[in-house]
Amino acid sequence: MQVVHIVFYIFAAMAVVSALVVISVRNPVRSVLALVVTFFSMAGVWMILSAEFLSLILLLVYVGAVMTLFLFVVMMLNANSTGSREGFTRYLPFGILLVLLLVALMIISFGSSFTQLPAPVPPGADYSNVTQLGAVLYTEYAYPFEIAGVLLLAAIVAAISLAHRTPKQRKSQNINEQLRVRREDRVRLVKMPPEKKNDLS
Amino acid sequence: MPIFSLASPELALLILSGLILLIDVFTPQRLRFLTYLLVQATLVVAFLLAIAQYRHHAELLVTFNGHYVVDKLAILLKLFIYVMSFASFAYAREYIEERKIASSEYYILGLFCVMGMSVMASAYSLLTIYLGLELLSLPLYALVASHKDSQQATEAAMKYFVMGALASGMLLYGISILYGLTGSIQIPEIARLIHAAPTATVSLALIFILAALLFKFGAVPFHMWVPDVYQGAPTSVTLFIASAPKIAAFGITMRILVQALPELHVAWEQILTVIAFLSMFFGNLLAIVQTNIKRMLAYSSIAHIGYSLLGIIAGPSSHDGYSAALFYITTYVLVAAGAFGIVALLSRTGIEADQLEDYRGLNARNPWLAFMLLLLMFSMAGVPPTVGFFAKLGLLVSLVEAHRVWLAVAALVFALIGAYYYLRVVMLMYFEEPTEANASKPVTLSWDMQLAVTVNGVAVLALGVLPSALIDLCRIVI
């Protein structure tokens, strides 16, 4: 076993454990922090695969920006351990069954053939992940790349259309209207016939 | 250098939808009707471009470094997708106006969905298939939630989103295994290299990919989202989900199963046989007990997906199983669009006509609409002379040809069970008196909605009387 293997197992174990923590802790802030650890360990695994660029992007974009934003949102919303665990025990047997089935399926399919698969060729010393990506991203993969761009546009439109409320539904002050108000709009003078006191005399 | 002209429908869709986004921002509120017209015009433009391609490109052409394909199948699927999307936007107009759903966002998100389906139809690599699927699903989740005042719609969107994300994950996992085995994501490359890979591992990839595809179709046992989403979503969105995306899902199923993994046809035939049987069984049986017509049609769609899978099962060992499946799914989509369209048209502000009770005595309130719904229900049940009969007939013939007589018999039995709940709607419409609350209200439609329903209903009848043109078209492309 080489050093690389040991490093891989450390990162993999970290990823699995922290992913379990994400779904099992009650406090959402801790959950988000555990997700940060998951991303971090996955970045480590990618580094071993010599995908340095992607690994750093994962750290910068996901851990640095997205997860921090997420943390802010969770803290601002003050969503405090509201998740109930009612269904947990009820769905647990079904979940375990599903996981066991999947694991058995994987063992059957990978178990025998795992050794038959050729090992990937290790990249040479002058291999550069960035150059490789740059060479194919805008040439060979231009079409999928563009679709991914359209996907982001669609996501923006979808997010705005879901979050946006028309002013009518929102409670907001209209200063102009408030200043322009006249006495006639607010006070109504009603003419009424004078009423007699209903005395007994 | 890629040949851009081959992707002209997608390019036109993209450019025009970008333009519409900009135009919409600068249009005053009272002229927002313009957005609807522009979106429909975009679909017409894309349709015309695709027709021009159909005339010129007889053979298979691949471009964008093998990510994009133009063949008869892709073009025909696109034509169907544009027509059905056009119809679903037309049906949606009044419905969403009454419910104050933000209309410009609705149509533009719908246009993004159409773009995603278009990408799916001519995807020739697993990466493009996945991206097209996401481009279809993401705006759909937002569309389901677009009726913000409705608690049900929000819940349906949440369910749809979570289940859809799970399915996408499974698809990606299957794709990653296939890529690991063959070192390629191009469909023809995978078909060429797959026989060298160990069978057990390939089956694992197949299972994951099939699960994701069947989820998108909504077949048993991946059907749990279908009734809830169909019922909870605004009817116009239900109509959209039930129509064009099924055609696109058929397209990618053909690409993955038939073009990329023909080596494994024994394996996927077995899996699909079980799934088609279960879908027909549960779909038809559970539809009987529904009192909500949207939910009933949802279960019926599960059953119909089961039927169209029969064609794919019969495909490898029969003459025209695939074309029968394409014919079936196209005609079903046409019929489903009409049925949900009528549900949407009967609904008025604040009232959803989604209970079966609302259809009691419809004949007395609007005879023409009742007649159209009768045609659609007959077609779903497979009664001649509507198109549904020929669709079912084609499937049964190819099943018998593929020596799967028992499956054909089972399909026939389930069709008989299914006929009960379709004919129950017809009986409610014609032989019952309207409920007291509804009796005094005649149903009036604006002229364009009247036209849309009429075209839809007459198409079902006309294709039933003269089905050969469409059948031939389906036969040519595959």
Side-chain angles (χ1 to χ4, degrees), chain A residues 109-110 113 140 143-144 161 164, chain B residues 67-68 128 131 148 200-201 204:
Chain A
S109 55
F110 283 123
S113 59
E140 212 175 303
Y143 181 63
S161 81
H164 175 75
Chain B
H67 290 289
Y68 188 96
T128 353
L131 284 170
K148 288 177 207 156
T201 323
L204 185 71

Side-chain angles (χ1 to χ4, degrees), chain B residues 3 30 86 92 145 183 192 247 265 314 428 451:
Chain B
I3 315 165
R30 66 198 154 77
F86 187 90
R192 197 168 56 81
I247 301 176
H265 74 89
L428 278 174
L451 182 72

Side-chain angles (χ1 to χ4, degrees), chain B residues 48 76 95 106 108 120 126 133 143 167 178 232 240 290 308 315 357 363 375 383 390 403 411 436:
Chain B
L48 292 178
L76 191 70
Y95 185 87
Y106 181 95
I108 288 168
M120 280 159 82
L126 297 177
L133 198 59
L143 280 180
L178 269 190
F240 189 52
Q290 304 304 326
S308 42
E357 283 296 301
N363 185 38
L375 284 181
V383 178
F390 288 99
H403 304 290
E436 291 198 354

